[in-house]
Amino acid sequence: MTDSILEVTDLSVEFATYGGRVKAVRGVSFDVKAGETLAIVGESGCGKSVTVQSLMGIIPMPPGEITGGVAKLNGKDILGLTSKEANEFRGVKIGMIFQDPMTSLNPTMTIGDQIAETLMVHRGMGKKDAFDRAVELLDKTKISEAAKRAKQYPFEFSGGMLQRAMIAQSLACNPSLLIADEPTTALDVTIQAQILELMSELQRTENMSIILITHDLAVVARMADRVAVMYAGQIVESGTVDEIFYESAHPYTLGLRAAMPSNKTTREKKLTPILGSPPDLFHPPTGCGYFARCPYAMKSCEKMLPPECLLTAESNHQSRCWLQHPDAPEVQELFQPARTQEEAPDAG
Amino acid sequence: MLAYTFKRLLAGVVTVWFIATATFIAMHSVPGDPLMNDKAVTAEIRANLEKKYGLDKSGPEQYLIFMSNMLRGDFGISFTQQNRKVNDIIRDHFPVSATLGLLAVFFAAIGGIVWGALTAIYRNRLPDIIIMFLVILGISVPSFVFAALGQLSLVKINQLLGSSVIPVAGWGTFGHMLVPSLVLGLGTMALLTRLMRSSMLEVVNEDYIKTAKAKGLSPIRIFFKHQLRNAILPVLTVLGPQIAAITTGGFVVELVFAIPGLGRYFVQAVQQLDYTVIMGTTVFYGAFLVFMVILVDIIYGFVDPRVRLQ
Ligand SMILES: Nc1ncnc2c1ncn2[C@@H]1O[C@H](COP(=O)(O)OP(=O)(O)O)[C@@H](O)[C@H]1O
Ligand code: SF4
Ligand SMILES: [Mg+2]
């Protein structure tokens, strides 16, 4: 096993709202190894952003609260730090880019100044040097006429250009990890491809790891080395990209795949949406989070939370489902994703 | 930015022309005239006076004369103050009103921004609750009440100190200006505080603040470099119209504090239907306000690149 640069164990995050406590993240564990891309995939609201933002210490607190867990970056704890302590790794060892580049940059500051700011704060560079370096960084992210562009404001950039600028900014201090929270969701399809291309290229040249958050399995297939599938605040399945796509184990992953368009989608193989909706995170189920929508649900699933089960002894492919529990009877047809939804209990 | 400024100035000139015309029409449709005194004037004297002031001519003719004089910067002679030129009245008293007004705007803007920022920092805690209570007072209590209270407290302070350290009324030194301008700016300050507070709270939730945190900037740097500047923008946009509000409110404060500003003459002129003074001061005030609003817009352009560069 290669070294992990980030290890997250049993992270739990809650939000105190007027309606009660939202249990947004419920015991999430994963690790990121040097140079790899970990994709975190799951439908909207399942806690992907909250997971990574609590690692960065940028969820609003209150109402947010990290109620449990440990996260270690290169062996050092990063949860529950003061902002001064956290700023030793934020922007330095971990860079972050967000979903909507249009609103993620300060509208009243030039792009160059915003990138330079990171360098001035963390590297103690002078204004002039930092700005020159900012131009180089913009150049590196393939923004043409970088020197001119650096003097412009965000409103003078297109969405794709802004995301490039965000990437340039996040790379300023050569981080070992880039967290990209749905970096292409707000962009046109063609621009999406360019940004993903840029990210994989920079990953190679800069030799960094990436946590790529997405709800798009096509993006996962293209970018990821390993995948964590999230559902209702928990990771329900994790493994290499091949394991997740070709040996999908968890019924939710199967559902996601059945709902994903592919080249093979023909008249006889229709897209199958997952019926129902995710559970209420104010009162998350005590048993399996996917119970209400699961076509394979058993009686024991409702009350008992399945543990994370290793699927084979030699791989690191895990699934949080009673079907994969060592005590469960052998279920052969499990690896055939074509199971339909008709057998699902009524989710409503 | 240059083209933008030029366009604004041009629009300003049109606005002033509009104000002048509207004032002219209004003056001429008000019943009564300045020569209709309690003392009966013989028809002969009346005819002479009308001739002197050009009132014997037709409306359009009078309008043309009024406009051409105004373009030359001549507002004519007062009807009620013997042979006093309107220009002289403005020259003697406008600087006083302008100083009072601008000082009030200055206090209101600084106060609004500082208090607003503080309430946002201390959201829902004691300082916020106290300031927001005062804000409601500031918005709902009319300025003449504050003027009287301000004057009263000056009297008390002087009594306590045993000498008149701060003058209670009149004009001349900064001591004279301090309390009246604070009083005059109070309502606007309260309004701006409220605006600044909500603007700050909005900006805090902006994505770019999250970006700034993820970049590893210190909270102080984020506050000043990313939050404050963006939060001030909406406050600046209402500053122009607020200057107008402050200047109009100035008449009352000038009266209470016996400040020899233009306001008193304006009110007097209205009561006595002193045509030339009313029209002269209205147009002059109008031009001044239009110019101030343009100035604020230009300043706004410097803070907001989206305006400056378009
Ligand atoms: N500031 C907040 N206050 C209350 N609830 C929040 C807050 N931020 C996120 N949540 C809740 O946490 C859950 C997970 O959100 P998020 O991580 O943004 O989902 P996603 O997987 O789409 O990124 C959602 O149910 C959301 O309502
Ligand atoms: S534990 Fe039960 S309900 Fe949950 S996914 Fe597995 S089979 Fe379905
Ligand atoms: Mg999200």
Side-chain angles (χ1 to χ4, degrees):
Chain A
M1 260 205 325
T2 36
D3 301 340
S4 296
I5 58 166
L6 177 70
E7 273 176 289
V8 179
T9 318
D10 219 10
L11 176 70
S12 297
V13 186
E14 298 182 4
F15 290 92
T17 69
Y18 288 117
R21 292 181 76 83
V22 184
K23 301 181 180 60
V25 176
R26 307 185 292 135
V28 159
S29 305
F30 62 88
D31 62 342
V32 183
K33 297 181 197 350
E36 77 167 352
T37 298
L38 171 74
I40 301 180
V41 64
E43 66 197 277
S44 170
C46 70
K48 307 181 294 291
S49 298
V50 171
T51 301
V52 289
Q53 289 185 8
S54 16
L55 297 179
M56 292 294 274
I58 57 174
I59 53 167
M61 290 197 267
E65 191 193 332
I66 296 175
T67 50
V70 183
K72 286 185 192 287
L73 179 69
N74 300 317
K76 273 163 83 178
D77 268 314
I78 56 168
L79 291 184
L81 302 183
T82 64
S83 66
K84 190 153 183 254
E85 293 163 338
N87 286 346
E88 283 172 20
F89 76 85
R90 288 196 287 220
V92 186
K93 295 187 177 129
I94 306 183
M96 186 159 181
I97 62 175
F98 297 88
Q99 174 167 350
D100 189 353
M102 301 297 236
T103 56
S104 295
L105 285 153
N106 183 343
T108 58
M109 213 170 160
T110 63
I111 299 286
D113 281 344
Q114 297 191 52
I115 300 174
E117 189 179 27
T118 316
L119 292 160
M120 287 157 68
V121 167
H122 293 302
R123 293 280 186 257
M125 287 170 86
K127 211 175 163 124
K128 173 92 183 38
D129 290 347
F131 196 88
D132 290 346
R133 178 85 186 109
V135 173
E136 287 171 30
L137 284 160
L138 286 175
D139 203 46
K140 203 186 229 174
T141 53
K142 308 217 165 55
I143 289 182
S144 53
E145 296 179 272
K148 187 183 129 213
R149 287 300 204 152
K151 294 200 191 80
Q152 294 185 330
Y153 290 89
F155 77 93
E156 296 169 272
F157 276 51
S158 68
M161 285 293 158
L162 283 175
Q163 200 59 295
R164 285 169 194 270
M166 281 295 291
I167 293 174
Q169 174 173 264
S170 66
L171 296 186
C173 299
N174 304 99
S176 44
L177 172 64
L178 174 69
I179 298 177
D181 189 350
E182 311 218 22
T184 58
T185 306
L187 304 175
D188 295 343
V189 189
T190 47
I191 311 289
Q192 276 186 21
Q194 292 171 14
I195 294 290
L196 293 176
E197 179 64 44
L198 176 69
M199 281 175 57
S200 10
E201 192 182 319
L202 287 171
Q203 175 171 38
R204 263 178 276 122
T205 56
E206 307 291 301
N207 191 28
M208 60 184 179
S209 313
I210 295 180
I211 296 180
L212 177 65
I213 291 181
T214 178
H215 59 252
D216 186 346
L217 284 183
V219 172
V220 176
R222 173 179 180 151
M223 299 286 292
D225 298 308
R226 285 194 306 128
V227 185
V229 182
M230 261 187 101
Y231 187 79
Q234 293 174 328
I235 291 181
V236 292
E237 182 171 358
S238 60
T240 65
V241 69
D242 284 349
E243 286 162 350
I244 296 297
F245 276 93
Y246 300 115
E247 294 163 27
S248 325
H250 196 281
Y252 177 60
T253 314
L254 294 173
L256 275 186
R257 286 191 41 213
M260 174 196 178
S262 73
N263 296 340
K264 294 195 200 81
T265 309
T266 54
R267 240 167 289 127
E268 58 269 27
K269 185 173 181 281
K270 287 184 294 182
L271 291 185
T272 323
I274 301 175
L275 301 175
S277 50
D280 172 14
L281 291 178
F282 287 107
H283 308 101
T286 46
C288 174
Y290 196 50
F291 175 77
R293 301 165 86 181
C294 180
Y296 309 100
M298 303 164 285
K299 223 181 176 114
S300 57
C301 303
E302 186 178 7
K303 290 277 176 287
M304 292 194 316
L305 179 66
E308 286 172 319
C309 311
L310 265 184
L311 292 179
T312 58
E314 55 276 17
S315 79
N316 212 7
H317 186 188
Q318 294 188 352
S319 172
R320 208 182 243 281
C321 171
W322 284 121
L323 294 176
Q324 280 93 40
H325 196 268
D327 300 345
E330 196 73 2
V331 187
Q332 289 300 337
E333 65 272 38
L334 196 65
F335 296 137
Q336 297 163 8
R339 284 288 294 256
T340 54
Q341 295 293 315
E342 272 84 271
E343 304 150 42
D346 192 5
Chain B
M1 190 70 191
L2 218 68
Y4 166 76
T5 309
F6 182 75
K7 247 191 335 213
R8 291 305 315 261
L9 283 175
L10 202 71
V13 170
V14 175
T15 314
V16 174
W17 168 77
F18 191 81
I19 293 172
T21 308
T23 318
F24 182 87
I25 293 171
M27 284 322 306
H28 284 258
S29 35
V30 175
D33 67 65
L35 303 179
M36 206 170 58
N37 271 343
D38 31 9
K39 275 175 279 164
V41 183
T42 65
E44 203 174 340
I45 295 176
R46 190 183 172 86
N48 276 336
L49 282 172
E50 281 189 350
K51 193 160 181 184
K52 177 182 169 191
Y53 290 106
L55 293 178
D56 53 342
K57 304 209 167 58
S58 71
E61 262 180 302
Q62 287 186 37
Y63 176 71
L64 285 180
I65 294 169
F66 165 66
M67 277 305 194
S68 70
N69 283 343
M70 204 185 70
L71 279 180
R72 280 185 276 113
D74 177 8
F75 290 119
I77 300 167
S78 165
F79 279 68
T80 53
Q81 301 178 48
Q82 240 105 72
N83 284 331
R84 196 154 176 219
K85 279 184 165 170
V86 178
N87 288 29
D88 291 339
I89 297 179
I90 293 176
R91 185 177 338 104
D92 290 347
H93 303 285
F94 175 71
V96 175
S97 293
T99 311
L100 178 69
L102 291 182
L103 212 54
V105 171
F106 175 77
F107 284 138
I110 300 294
I113 289 167
V114 171
W115 295 129
L118 278 178
T119 52
I121 294 171
Y122 288 101
R123 170 152 68 140
N124 294 339
R125 283 184 278 162
L126 198 61
D128 178 29
I129 294 167
I130 294 174
I131 295 173
M132 287 321 283
F133 175 73
L134 294 176
V135 160
I136 294 181
L137 278 187
I139 290 174
S140 48
V141 176
S143 66
F144 65 84
V145 176
F146 286 124
L149 286 176
Q151 205 167 34
L152 197 68
S153 35
L154 279 184
V155 172
K156 292 280 181 226
I157 290 171
N158 286 340
Q159 271 174 356
L160 264 176
L161 297 176
S163 63
S164 75
V165 194
I166 306 171
V168 171
W171 195 249
T173 66
F174 184 71
H176 286 104
M177 303 172 188
L178 188 65
V179 174
S181 53
L182 271 175
V183 163
L184 181 53
L186 221 52
T188 298
M189 191 192 293
L191 204 90
L192 296 185
T193 301
R194 199 166 62 173
L195 195 66
M196 183 69 186
R197 179 180 188 269
S198 63
S199 173
M200 287 286 286
L201 294 180
E202 217 166 280
V203 169
V204 166
N205 290 322
E206 292 285 351
D207 289 346
Y208 56 81
I209 298 295
K210 208 156 239 183
T211 305
K213 285 185 190 155
K215 271 162 78 172
L217 306 184
S218 68
I220 291 182
R221 191 179 180 99
I222 293 174
F223 180 82
F224 283 106
K225 295 217 77 160
H226 295 270
Q227 197 183 349
L228 205 55
R229 182 172 179 155
N230 286 294
I232 285 175
L233 292 178
V235 176
L236 281 186
T237 49
V238 300
L239 204 56
Q242 278 304 308
I243 291 178
I246 282 186
T247 325
T248 4
F251 299 164
V252 175
V253 175
E254 282 176 14
L255 271 179
V256 174
F257 284 93
I259 294 168
L262 200 53
R264 184 180 346 162
Y265 289 91
F266 183 75
V267 174
Q268 222 171 52
V270 171
Q271 284 164 347
Q272 298 170 339
L273 271 184
D274 193 337
Y275 278 8
T276 44
V277 175
I278 295 177
M279 291 197 288
T281 43
T282 307
V283 172
F284 187 80
Y285 256 127
F288 174 70
L289 287 182
V290 167
F291 176 72
M292 290 311 292
V293 171
I294 293 173
L295 193 70
V296 169
D297 281 356
I298 292 173
I299 293 174
Y300 185 90
F302 274 103
V303 186
D304 190 345
R306 283 163 293 193
V307 173
R308 187 191 335 142
L309 299 173
Q310 244 140 41

